[in-house]
Amino acid sequence: ETGVTQTPRHLVMGMTNKKSLKCEQHLGHNAMYWYKQSAKKPLELMFVYSLEERVENNSVPSRFSPECPNSSHLFLHLHTLQPEDSALYLCASSFRRDRLNEKLFFGSGTQLSVL
Amino acid sequence: QQQVKQSPQSLIVQKGGISIINCAYENTAFDYFPWYQQFPGKGPALLIAIRPDVSEKKEGRFTISFNKSAKQFSLHIMDSQPGDSATYFCAATGANNLFFGTGTRLTVIP
């Protein structure tokens, strides 16, 4: 295991549902990330939190709402999603003393299907 | 515009052979080039990385070759094993973001 745990592993939701993805890291890291992985496309950075402060938001639609209550936990709140949002959502963490985006530790992801 | 271009999309290699995956980038501000390995049902894991002040880095059977003038870098897997079958992603980062290639699915045939 990488020390980064994501739940749930699989999620099926309708377009009108509200759900949340959870990520927890046990590595003592203080930077956390959300990535979106779609088939045959590069991993897309969605959000970055460093010391619980959001430092990156890559033009992600407002139907995705991140929350970082402390340096060990990260959430992605989902509402009124579209079918094209179906993808694998990956959480990652790193040490802030390393430059952001270097030496990432990824969780196993949440496979999201929007019907 | 794709910041990092990766090829091939898929690769089949015999056990014991050499697997080679290539990547190219455009932004000369990139200064850290990692490779990630992803097995089915798992997230990517950092495999090996290089900075542009060296032309090659080797860790066990994995080697990164880096050509700064051509803005290209490649991953070589020597003595490829069935356990190496996975998807490999190259990436490049500068000050603010990490850009991934589209991935190469490697299959090593016993």
Side-chain angles (χ1 to χ4, degrees), chain B residues 30-48:
Chain B
F30 291 152
D31 60 1
Y32 178 75
F33 302 88
W35 285 88
Y36 283 81
Q37 177 189 56
Q38 185 176 25
F39 293 105
K42 300 291 186 182
L46 180 62
L47 184 63
I48 187 173

Side-chain angles (χ1 to χ4, degrees), chain A residues 3-4 24-33 48-55 68-74 91-105:
Chain A
V4 180
E24 183 175 2
Q25 58 93 5
H26 307 276
L27 301 169
H29 289 167
N30 44 23
M32 297 188 77
Y33 311 74
V48 180
Y49 277 84
S50 176
L51 296 176
E52 302 155 38
E53 177 183 349
R54 190 190 306 181
V55 296
C68 187
N70 54 63
S71 59
S72 298
H73 294 86
L74 185 66
C91 172
S93 67
S94 69
F95 281 114
R96 190 172 183 270
R97 67 164 187 265
D98 297 320
R99 196 173 58 180
L100 282 176
N101 297 307
E102 291 191 9
K103 300 179 184 176
L104 301 180
F105 288 74

Side-chain angles (χ1 to χ4, degrees), chain A residues 63-83:
Chain A
R63 57 185 183 269
F64 295 91
S65 176
E67 178 189 2
C68 187
N70 54 63
S71 59
S72 298
H73 294 86
L74 185 66
F75 295 89
L76 188 62
H77 304 297
L78 317 172
H79 65 95
T80 59
L81 293 191
Q82 304 299 309

